[in-house]
Amino acid sequence: MERRWTSGECWLWCERIAVLVLWLGPVLWEGGNVPLHACERCIRHLESKARGTLIRGGAPSPAPERQRWAPGDCWLWCERVDLPTLLLGTVESAGCQVPLYGCDSCIRRLEDKVRAALRYVPA
């Protein structure tokens, strides 16, 4: 499937609107899903984080249960290190997958974005 750049909202760090974004995949939440889009700058940042994880000796093993909080680094907006995080999924870069973790406050922020997107129905 070829992904195309479209005008939209970046869901990652910059959160800019009306910029060129690329679809990265669905965000699944409480039985619904919304498309996750990111701008080129944020995609490069995400890929850099994935490469850094791989360079430091590979990705840590994900927690056996998705709902188990584990000490780690938040990959979302705050980017804080060594705090309780939850496994959200995986990120792929250069053919390797690394786990994507988020802290409580960033997960709540992501959930708010998903709720808003699920309520919005284009005319």
Side-chain angles (χ1 to χ4, degrees):
M1 173 187 193
E2 181 181 339
R3 295 184 294 175
R4 297 175 191 237
W5 293 93
T6 60
S7 181
E9 178 184 355
C10 179
W11 274 47
L12 295 180
W13 296 275
C14 74
E15 295 187 293
R16 293 179 297 161
I17 56 173
V19 296
L20 288 178
V21 293
L22 190 63
W23 177 76
L24 300 181
V27 175
L28 307 173
W29 185 77
E30 292 189 358
N33 69 71
V34 295
L36 172 65
H37 291 92
C39 69
E40 183 178 8
R41 181 174 67 191
C42 288
I43 290 171
R44 282 196 315 266
H45 184 68
L46 183 62
E47 289 173 342
S48 174
K49 289 177 79 61
R51 278 191 304 275
T53 297
L54 294 169
I55 289 169
R56 286 189 307 271
S61 299
E65 297 174 32
R66 183 183 178 119
Q67 295 301 317
R68 183 176 293 164
W69 292 89
D73 300 347
C74 180
W75 277 48
L76 296 175
W77 297 276
C78 75
E79 298 189 80
R80 291 180 295 164
V81 298
D82 197 26
L83 72 160
T85 59
L86 189 64
L87 176 65
L88 300 176
T90 58
V91 174
E92 187 170 324
S93 179
C96 297
Q97 288 190 347
V98 295
L100 171 68
Y101 290 93
C103 71
D104 184 53
S105 63
C106 288
I107 290 171
R108 280 186 273 129
R109 185 172 171 179
L110 180 61
E111 288 173 343
D112 288 344
K113 291 176 79 64
V114 172
R115 278 189 204 100
L118 290 172
R119 280 193 303 265
Y120 174 73
V121 179

